[in-house]
Amino acid sequence: MKLTKRVNEMQFSPIRRFNPMGKKAEAEGKKVYHLNIGQPDVETPECFMEAIRNYDSKVIAYAESQGIEPLRSAIVDYMKMYGMDYENEDIIVTMGGSEALTMTFLTILNPGEEVLVPEPFYTNYHTFAKCASGEVAPITTKVEDGYHYADRELIESSITDKTRAIVCLNPGNPTGNVLTKDEMKLICEIAKEHDLWILSDEVYREFAYDGREVTSFGMMKEYEDRIIIIDSVSKRFSACGARVGCAISKNKEFMQGMLKIAQGRLCIPTIDQVGATELFKLPKEYYAEVKAEYVGRRDAAYEELMKIPGVVCQKPGGAFYMTAKLPVDNVEDFLVYLLTEFEDKGETVMFAPAEGFYATPGLGKDEMRIAYVLNQTDMKRAVELIRLGLEAYLK
Ligand SMILES: Cc1ncc(COP(=O)(O)O)c(C=O)c1O
């Protein structure tokens, strides 16, 4: 018996691949600071739990395939807060942003066709594209240039006759890059000229710092027919386990394609949708509070990181990740050392090696991604452990 070429070509998530080693270190009594996964420790707003506690039905029935109406209406109202004019029919609720991405690739890619994604990118895009027998074609960006990619020549030189979409992670994971409106306009113009979809992953929409505006491709009305937005409650509301996200588009044909797939998987969990509905009704102040918390975490982590000789890192403008070059040849070997040999006062730390966030072979070997998802004190200590570990490793 054989597996498909598709699945054989997939990778295990580099974010989760080292978990068994982390678990072993914990079983041996070490405290492990987890900077490897974007799982915030911020409390999920109480309104989610309250809605679920108040849920009272004799039967937990299937929901509509496109999502329950109160949730779709709440998302429409939330988008209005930023001046975007969507309707319920423009939204399909999915099992997190992850399912929205897989379904989108199944809808827009034939086998062998490509999506352009600025690298480094959220590593699971490899898997999402492969599910549709598609490929990720990278636009290579560099830490030294602040991961800038909104450049006509750079983007156009990567477009081939197999390209079907430009993907923007805005704000970016793992880069923290936040697009300006002018940059988004340029990307829209290029997409129009080459007849491409724009797939905008905006699961970190509000996490834009230092006076940067919250931007969304939903604001590019003139190009709305080619724009697909991916959203999720996971990060914005610290509700990763709720598994509720959505795809949003004004393109009716695309939405019909998505609906066929959505109907095939019937629906996503009804009760999580009930909780998520309340999250989208939270007032604007909620976002300001969460943003301030992440700015504090970022600054604490960055300050500590800058104490490490030989590190190359730009302070990220958004999301909650930092990618940094370390003065080692192979960051994976260093991580294994941290988890198996190193400890300081019974503690060690885990990050994600960045190689898996690139599509170009050989890139990212000396880079790590950290998620600044822990409180400031823990963030400082975790990055200090990277420094102490590095000192011991390089001896
Ligand atoms: C850029 C980006 N998109 C999508 C996702 C998927 O998130 P979820 O499926 O929890 O909504 C993540 C998760 O880390 C992400 O970082």
Side-chain angles (χ1 to χ4, degrees):
M1 289 185 295
K2 285 188 182 152
L3 301 183
T4 57
K5 183 168 168 285
R6 184 190 309 125
V7 87
N8 282 330
E9 283 172 2
M10 284 179 191
Q11 59 170 6
F12 284 100
S13 165
I15 301 170
R16 293 176 178 246
R17 194 151 51 98
F18 292 91
N19 277 358
M21 264 182 217
K23 287 238 158 14
K24 191 157 178 279
E26 278 164 349
E28 286 162 3
K30 279 186 212 167
K31 173 168 177 170
V32 180
Y33 289 83
H34 286 269
L35 306 185
N36 55 313
I37 188 162
Q39 169 60 67
D41 68 354
V42 170
E43 279 186 19
T44 311
E46 181 58 20
C47 60
F48 182 94
M49 313 299 171
E50 220 172 275
I52 289 178
R53 273 196 293 272
N54 292 336
Y55 183 74
D56 187 17
S57 171
K58 296 271 179 266
V59 177
I60 300 172
Y62 285 125
E64 296 91 328
S65 298
Q66 53 274 62
I68 61 171
E69 286 308 317
L71 174 55
R72 294 166 89 205
S73 301
I75 298 172
V76 165
D77 289 344
Y78 156 85
M79 296 296 267
K80 278 204 174 80
M81 191 165 80
Y82 295 110
M84 292 182 273
D85 188 20
Y86 284 98
E87 292 168 39
N88 288 27
E89 64 187 42
D90 305 325
I91 295 166
I92 283 193
V93 176
T94 55
M95 185 86 103
S98 307
E99 192 194 36
L101 285 162
T102 308
M103 283 168 57
T104 296
F105 289 149
L106 285 167
T107 304
I108 65 170
L109 292 182
N110 286 307
E113 290 179 345
E114 296 175 353
V115 287
L116 280 189
V117 191
E119 70 178 352
F121 54 82
Y122 174 53
T123 178
N124 285 332
Y125 270 82
H126 285 295
T127 307
F128 303 143
K130 274 282 174 238
C131 282
S133 298
E135 298 292 338
V136 171
I139 302 171
T140 304
T141 69
K142 290 197 194 110
V143 59
E144 292 84 353
D145 306 332
Y147 300 110
H148 180 73
Y149 65 90
D151 177 281
R152 180 175 282 277
E153 219 178 291
L154 184 66
I155 296 175
E156 286 192 325
S157 64
S158 307
I159 296 174
T160 70
D161 57 359
K162 287 191 198 160
T163 312
R164 293 293 167 266
I166 303 174
V167 178
C168 298
L169 281 74
N170 184 41
N173 170 8
T175 63
N177 188 299
V178 184
L179 292 171
T180 63
K181 283 214 179 114
D182 285 345
E183 290 175 328
M184 289 190 329
K185 178 116 187 14
L186 173 72
I187 292 166
C188 286
E189 281 166 13
I190 298 171
K192 189 171 178 195
E193 283 160 32
H194 295 268
D195 196 22
L196 302 174
W197 295 97
I198 295 166
L199 177 54
S200 184
D201 181 335
E202 301 181 4
V203 307
Y204 299 96
R205 188 176 298 119
E206 281 81 8
F207 300 88
Y209 313 132
D210 310 325
R212 285 175 181 82
E213 261 188 294
V214 171
T215 54
S216 167
F217 274 92
M219 295 165 181
M220 299 285 118
K221 204 148 171 55
E222 197 187 328
Y223 303 91
E224 64 183 18
D225 200 43
R226 59 183 69 250
I227 289 169
I228 302 161
I229 295 175
I230 304 298
D231 210 340
S232 167
V233 303
S234 292
K235 315 293 173 171
R236 178 178 310 130
F237 303 116
S238 192
C240 299
R243 309 309 306 132
V244 177
C246 64
I248 307 175
S249 180
K250 287 273 178 198
N251 187 302
K252 300 247 178 298
E253 212 183 338
F254 168 76
M255 292 306 274
Q256 287 300 305
M258 291 286 279
L259 184 58
K260 288 184 200 166
I261 302 169
Q263 288 181 347
R265 59 74 159 122
L266 305 181
C267 67
I268 72 152
T270 307
I271 299 177
D272 281 318
Q273 294 189 64
V274 169
T277 304
E278 299 311 309
L279 293 176
F280 278 103
K281 293 181 189 166
L282 283 164
K284 238 181 170 165
E285 295 78 63
Y286 167 79
Y287 305 103
E289 217 175 281
V290 171
K291 195 157 103 172
E293 175 63 31
Y294 279 103
V295 169
R297 292 169 179 210
R298 176 199 63 172
D299 292 348
Y302 185 74
E303 195 182 301
E304 207 56 43
L305 208 54
M306 287 300 103
K307 292 183 187 163
I308 306 179
V311 155
V312 184
C313 176
Q314 299 241 3
K315 200 186 238 190
F320 43 65
Y321 305 96
M322 252 184 247
T323 307
K325 244 186 206 171
L326 294 181
V328 296
D329 293 336
N330 190 325
V331 150
E332 279 198 22
D333 291 346
F334 173 50
L335 178 59
V336 171
Y337 168 79
L338 285 176
L339 294 174
T340 56
E341 294 180 46
F342 173 77
E343 67 169 274
D344 180 66
K345 301 188 189 102
E347 297 183 336
T348 190
V349 60
M350 205 168 163
F351 52 74
E355 191 180 359
F357 292 70
Y358 286 85
T360 304
L363 291 186
K365 271 194 188 317
D366 57 352
E367 292 173 31
M368 65 164 183
R369 183 199 76 165
I370 59 174
Y372 44 99
V373 288
L374 307 180
N375 66 55
Q376 285 189 38
T377 313
D378 285 354
M379 273 318 303
K380 264 184 185 297
R381 172 66 178 151
V383 180
E384 182 189 38
L385 284 166
I386 296 176
R387 177 169 57 80
L388 296 174
L390 201 54
E391 280 166 15
Y393 182 72
L394 293 174
K395 253 189 195 151

